Amino acid sequence: MAIPVVEPERYSEQLNVKRESLEALLAEFSPPSLEVLESPPGYYRQRCEFRIWHEGDDLFYAMFEVDPENPANKAVVRLDQYPVASAQINALMPLLRNAFLASQELRHRLFQVEFLTTLSGEALVTLIYHRPLGDVWEEEARALEKALGIMIIGRSRKQRKVLSRDHVWETLEVDDQPWHYQQVENSFTQPNATICQKMLGWARSATAGSQSGDLVELYCGNGNFTVALAENFRRVLATEISRTSVASAKVNFAANGITNAQVVRMSAEELAQALKGEKGGRRVADMALQDYQFSTVLVDPPRAGLDEASCHQISVYPSIVYISCNPATLAENLAILTQTHRIERLALFDQFPFTNHMEAGVLLTRR
């Protein structure tokens, strides 16, 4: 993995390279003009993790630069600041390092530091150790929490000490509306909050005018899209397999007054079986699938994309909103999906500037 080098003056240049790359990759599907949603060129990641490297009496934040010719070789790169991370993370980095240097208890066998921050100003820091954490550690960590105005979690093997709480509250502004999200430590959230706001705005625009139909959402996470899209539909059924994310989604529905959505802990495959009547039981009965009239499906799959069976499964819906974190597997899936649907909109979300990583959004409607 190459550590991104932030060069704001080159931002437009690197974005154009991504634009041309995505257009070339998907040209065979004759998509409409690409919509490009820009990121801030720096200080865009609201969550980051760093190894802590110990050298004698010194310690510092570190990442590893992999030798492309020999991936087994990794060079330790010292990071006193990290322009990719949020301004809040950069402000906290030296303050925390000074606290570790000043305290044998806080620094002893400290292995990794994870930051989770928000646009709304909260910060949760997880300190990971290769040793048990006792009362002395907790006393010093609580003092550090108070001094820096942050929340701290201590982790070691079979141990998790939550000093204040295990989550932050993020507020995202989309279409001049504030949407509130509980984001739990050690579970997935969109790292680039500015782009996340733009993604949600794009998805709301893509599904406008759908109030007479229902939305089924696969891989809903903590309800990131569900919360913002619910008012565009009559009802929403969202599925997710992570127990933590399902619990968080329910909290987020309540926090935003969402009353027309439900989330169930179920895989995409299980949902397909339930919709076909091949899977029963109390949980399926409680979903009351017969009451839904699904007009749209939203999928936000992992990097591997959808398997062939899942592509055929979602092809039954009149509209498909596909959020992709890997355009290569998106192209493979579109080869199947465009047999029944045409691409109405295509967007590039520059989630990670100055890397090769691209995210895309596609709206498909049945031919």
Side-chain angles (χ1 to χ4, degrees):
M1 180 187 73
I3 298 173
V5 177
V6 174
E7 300 174 291
E9 69 279 2
R10 288 189 52 246
Y11 180 71
S12 294
E13 175 189 335
Q14 70 94 39
L15 187 57
N16 280 333
V17 171
K18 290 183 179 181
R19 180 204 306 263
E20 292 168 0
S21 174
L22 187 60
E23 287 175 336
L25 180 65
L26 303 183
E28 65 180 291
F29 305 111
S30 302
S33 297
L34 180 64
E35 304 167 57
V36 179
L37 286 72
E38 299 184 5
S39 169
Y43 304 107
Y44 54 83
R45 277 196 74 115
Q46 297 297 324
R47 56 182 174 89
C48 282
E49 59 184 51
F50 303 95
R51 283 284 296 275
I52 294 297
W53 203 258
H54 298 258
E55 285 188 352
D57 292 332
D58 193 16
L59 59 79
F60 52 84
Y61 302 98
M63 286 186 173
F64 299 96
E65 193 84 59
V66 177
D67 182 348
E69 296 183 4
N70 184 0
N73 287 343
K74 298 179 181 180
V76 177
V77 178
R78 176 174 179 149
L79 296 168
D80 294 311
Q81 292 282 270
Y82 189 49
V84 166
S86 69
Q88 190 174 14
I89 291 174
N90 278 275
L92 286 170
M93 287 172 70
L95 300 177
L96 281 164
R97 177 174 172 269
N98 289 340
F100 302 149
L101 289 170
S103 167
Q104 181 61 26
E105 181 64 27
L106 292 177
R107 69 181 287 170
H108 180 51
R109 303 205 71 183
L110 175 62
F111 171 73
Q112 187 162 300
V113 177
E114 299 176 355
F115 293 89
L116 176 59
T117 61
T118 68
L119 295 176
S120 46
E122 292 192 347
L124 174 60
V125 178
T126 302
L127 307 179
I128 302 175
Y129 291 83
H130 282 331
R131 67 175 175 92
L133 303 176
D135 293 341
V136 176
W137 176 88
E138 184 170 336
E139 181 181 348
E140 292 203 22
R142 286 190 183 279
L144 183 58
E145 264 195 339
K146 186 175 180 181
L148 298 184
I150 62 175
M151 296 171 285
I152 289 178
I153 293 175
R155 282 185 175 272
S156 65
R157 190 164 180 249
K158 297 183 179 179
Q159 196 176 21
R160 181 172 179 255
K161 283 181 172 280
V162 180
L163 303 190
S164 295
R165 51 181 156 93
D166 68 350
H167 60 274
V168 294
W169 278 100
E170 178 63 288
T171 299
L172 300 177
E173 294 281 343
V174 184
D175 294 340
D176 298 321
Q177 295 185 63
W179 303 98
H180 308 291
Y181 293 91
Q182 181 198 69
Q183 299 182 342
V184 178
E185 181 253 2
N186 210 33
S187 65
F188 178 77
T189 53
Q190 294 286 345
N192 187 328
T194 301
I195 281 291
C196 184
Q197 291 179 139
K198 294 182 178 183
M199 289 170 65
L200 295 178
W202 180 88
R204 280 169 59 86
S205 170
T207 57
S210 304
Q211 281 81 358
S212 61
D214 300 332
L215 170 68
V216 59
E217 181 182 356
L218 311 180
Y219 316 98
C220 76
N222 71 341
N224 184 54
F225 283 95
T226 328
V227 165
L229 294 182
E231 68 180 14
N232 276 6
F233 294 90
R234 190 179 69 108
R235 299 180 65 188
V236 181
L237 175 64
T239 65
E240 171 58 49
I241 57 173
S242 162
R243 196 182 302 273
T244 300
S245 294
V246 168
S248 203
K250 292 178 179 178
V251 168
N252 290 334
F253 293 172
N256 291 280
I258 304 297
T259 58
N260 65 332
Q262 70 163 320
V263 58
V264 292
R265 187 165 177 257
M266 180 177 279
S267 70
E269 294 75 22
E270 288 175 311
L271 178 63
Q273 292 171 349
L275 289 168
K276 293 176 185 175
E278 299 171 358
K279 184 178 180 66
R282 178 66 182 273
R283 184 171 52 149
V284 172
D286 289 345
M287 291 162 63
L289 291 171
Q290 70 278 1
D291 295 338
Y292 287 91
Q293 299 170 7
F294 293 118
S295 60
T296 304
V297 60
L298 187 149
V299 291
D300 185 5
R303 287 188 59 77
L306 300 173
D307 60 25
E308 184 174 350
S310 296
C311 286
H312 290 301
Q313 173 199 336
I314 68 172
S315 292
V316 305
Y317 300 101
S319 295
I320 301 168
V321 179
Y322 190 133
I323 307 296
S324 169
C325 60
N326 184 356
T329 54
L330 170 63
E332 294 172 4
N333 289 166
L334 286 176
I336 299 172
L337 296 174
T338 53
Q339 293 172 22
T340 53
H341 289 64
R342 69 168 59 87
I343 299 176
E344 296 287 347
R345 292 179 66 176
L346 173 64
L348 165 64
F349 310 125
D350 194 20
Q351 183 87 254
F352 302 103
F354 302 105
T355 71
N356 293 326
H357 187 93
M358 289 185 286
E359 302 217 357
V362 185
L363 171 65
L364 300 110
T365 58
R366 186 180 286 145
R367 291 182 183 277

